[in-house]
Amino acid sequence: MATTTSRRITTGLIASITSVQSHSAIRPQSIISLIRRHHHIISLRLPSPIASRRWLIEAAPPHARSSWDGSDDGGAQADVKKPGVCGYAITGGSSDHVVDGDQQHVNTMEMVMWAAATAAFGVGNRVMYKLALVPLKQYPFFLAQLSTFGYVAVYYSILYFRYRAGTVTDAMLSVPKMPFLIVGVLQALAAAAGMAATANLSGPSTTVLSQTFLVWQIFFSIIFLGRRYSVNQILGCTLVALGVVVSVASGSGAAHSLKEAGVFWILLMVLSYLFQGADTVLKEVIFIDSQKRLKGASLDLFIVNSYGSAFQAICIALLLPFLSKLWGIPFNQLGSYLKDGAACFLNIGTMTKGCEGAPLLPLLFVMVNIGYNIALLRLLKISSAVVSSLASTVSVPIAVFLFTLPLPYLGVASSLPKGFMGGTMILVLGMLLYSWTPKGPERSHTDSVIPSPPLT
């Protein structure tokens, strides 16, 4: 059907529903099940001596009909990728209530809550990382490896307790592991390319290039998820990226720095964000595919975090000779470097001068970073990779503003960039524009503001 139409059909008591009426007279609370076709609205009014009830049923679009025609896998896949809407409005006597029959549309308030949590943890993550580097300023590579390998133990510990509690099932653990391996490889490659490029680019230049991350997410979601984005969504994402660039990099000579950096390092940084964009969209694909495999059940996010982090740690271990060289650490001295970094982190031994604030500040960063990763993945699971990226992007100008305050251990506060207020206004405008949904009878579900999420 080129367009989706709706109509209402009101029927009295006819022979085709006589049996339904007689059954309803015995059990007034029964719900009539009808085959949904062509996204029509069907209203049935059944006069009854007990109560007058009206069933309002909004049927699923044609692409979701297979699940009602006796198909299992095909129907589940159709419902996962392009879920329809099925609402039952039941009126009886003087009381009205609505039963939502489509469980694939997540609660809007939950999405808003996790978006706010992602932004808040994103701010804390940026601030705490800078604070954690105060005692570990000589050992940033140690902090990076602590994040990579330490999180494997943390995530698997949480996964174990969730398995013992019955939240994680054997069926969830039996999902294919190849996608998790690809996630780990993409994360490791993104880290390696990012480290190499960051060493040859200025901070403002990195901020400008980081906005390509959102572009790659949109590109991969179109290619692998078949998403379509409306003009206001594309324009909104563009304004969000522009707002970050203006608010953070304005007046800092970012354009001049990019010219001096060289094309190779710029392309390498863009490639790093390509890997990150592919990684986040692949996680979304994993959630959608697992819903079909688990027959509607939702894959626990700690399975994704645990296996993804494990494979990433393996790849990072294989790349350690290359990565240590990027940080200026000869590979034959890496062992002693990590040992000294651990001593500074624990603030014990004779070589702890300048390690004031450890281990409290690094531990706070680790806890906030774990919370950020969990909130980010949860938001990705119930919405999309693009929405999670937008929520995370909001944290950038907020963190920049917090660095202008007299935070402990950081010394003299920094000043706001010249275009901070203007850039922040552009960013907010972009978020509002992305969230704006033009309403009309011709609007397609595939153009919804937040792409159809999997079950939660």
Side-chain angles (χ1 to χ4, degrees):
M1 239 179 177
T3 58
T4 302
T5 60
S6 300
R7 62 181 180 180
R8 293 181 180 273
I9 303 174
T10 304
T11 65
L13 183 61
I14 58 177
S16 62
I17 57 172
T18 302
S19 60
V20 175
Q21 183 202 26
S22 61
H23 180 72
S24 177
I26 299 173
R27 297 178 58 187
Q29 300 300 324
S30 298
I31 297 177
I32 297 176
S33 298
L34 298 176
I35 297 179
R36 304 183 291 183
R37 297 179 183 276
H38 306 297
H39 201 68
H40 294 325
I41 302 286
I42 303 173
S43 176
L44 297 181
R45 189 177 298 276
L46 300 179
S48 170
I50 297 178
S52 176
R53 296 182 179 274
R54 179 170 59 88
W55 285 265
L56 178 62
I57 302 175
E58 181 179 356
H63 60 253
R65 286 166 48 193
S66 56
S67 63
W68 292 80
D69 295 335
S71 173
D72 287 331
D73 292 342
Q77 185 177 8
D79 283 343
V80 170
K81 292 186 177 180
K82 294 183 179 180
V85 178
C86 179
Y88 303 83
I90 304 175
T91 305
S94 61
S95 63
D96 294 345
H97 63 282
V98 176
V99 180
D100 185 10
D102 192 344
Q103 297 297 323
Q104 293 190 15
H105 285 276
V106 297
N107 186 277
T108 302
M109 290 305 298
E110 181 186 9
M111 196 176 300
V112 171
M113 180 190 73
W114 283 106
T118 300
F121 275 114
V123 173
N125 186 59
R126 293 175 181 274
V127 173
M128 290 311 306
Y129 177 71
K130 195 164 185 176
L131 288 173
L133 286 179
V134 172
L136 295 177
K137 56 182 174 292
Q138 301 297 328
Y139 305 100
F141 187 66
F142 169 82
L143 184 60
Q145 304 320 304
L146 176 67
S147 302
T148 300
F149 294 94
Y151 291 178
V152 176
V154 173
Y155 287 139
Y156 270 99
S157 298
I158 297 175
L159 182 63
Y160 171 77
F161 287 111
R162 290 177 71 83
Y163 177 75
R164 292 292 300 270
T167 305
V168 175
T169 64
D170 292 328
M172 293 182 186
L173 294 174
S174 65
V175 297
K177 304 302 185 296
M178 181 58 67
F180 300 122
L181 172 60
I182 298 175
V183 165
V185 171
L186 288 173
Q187 291 176 341
L189 292 176
M195 286 182 185
T198 302
N200 295 274
L201 295 171
S202 65
S205 301
T206 304
T207 301
V208 173
L209 295 175
S210 68
Q211 302 315 302
T212 60
F213 175 51
L214 186 58
V215 176
W216 290 122
Q217 283 186 320
I218 294 175
F219 173 77
F220 285 122
S221 65
I222 292 174
I223 297 299
F224 295 107
L225 295 175
R227 294 259 164 75
R228 290 186 299 167
Y229 294 92
S230 60
V231 175
N232 65 287
Q233 290 176 313
I234 297 295
L235 183 57
C237 291
T238 303
L239 289 178
V240 168
L242 179 62
V244 172
V245 172
V246 173
S247 63
V248 177
S250 59
S252 59
H256 181 70
S257 299
L258 286 173
K259 292 180 181 179
E260 292 184 342
V263 176
F264 174 78
W265 300 113
I266 293 175
L267 292 178
L268 189 62
M269 179 58 77
V270 172
L271 182 64
S272 170
Y273 288 112
L274 181 151
F275 290 139
Q276 294 181 47
D279 159 53
T280 55
V281 173
L282 178 57
K283 289 177 180 176
E284 190 177 354
V285 172
I286 290 174
F287 282 122
I288 295 175
D289 180 70
S290 64
Q291 183 186 5
K292 182 182 67 174
R293 293 179 179 275
L294 300 175
K295 301 186 183 302
S298 177
L299 183 67
D300 191 84
L301 63 88
F302 283 99
I303 293 179
V304 179
N305 264 344
S306 300
Y307 283 104
S309 298
F311 286 119
Q312 179 191 7
I314 294 173
C315 294
I316 289 293
L318 296 176
L319 292 173
L320 274 180
F322 170 73
L323 296 177
S324 64
K325 184 177 180 180
L326 290 177
W327 286 88
I329 307 168
F331 186 67
N332 59 355
Q333 300 178 16
L334 182 60
S336 60
Y337 170 87
L338 295 177
K339 181 180 177 181
D340 294 342
C344 184
F345 170 74
L346 298 173
N347 204 3
I348 58 176
T350 58
M351 301 179 62
T352 58
K353 184 178 180 181
C355 298
E356 292 79 9
L360 177 62
L361 295 179
L363 284 177
L364 286 176
F365 162 70
V366 169
M367 290 188 292
V368 171
N369 188 253
I370 290 176
Y372 171 68
N373 286 320
I374 293 174
L376 189 66
L377 188 58
R378 175 62 181 174
L379 181 60
L380 182 149
K381 178 181 178 181
I382 65 176
S383 59
S384 71
V386 173
V387 172
S388 64
S389 177
L390 290 173
S392 178
T393 302
V394 173
S395 66
V396 177
I398 299 176
V400 170
F401 174 77
L402 289 180
F403 287 133
T404 65
L405 303 178
L407 298 177
Y409 295 100
L410 292 183
V412 179
S414 60
S415 58
L416 282 177
K418 294 181 179 180
F420 179 81
M421 293 304 297
T424 302
M425 293 177 63
I426 295 175
L427 186 148
V428 172
L429 178 61
M431 294 291 292
L432 294 175
L433 185 60
Y434 184 88
S435 302
W436 174 61
T437 311
K439 295 183 178 180
E442 304 299 325
R443 185 163 177 81
S444 169
H445 287 291
T446 55
D447 294 329
S448 58
V449 171
I450 297 177
S452 302
L455 282 172
T456 56

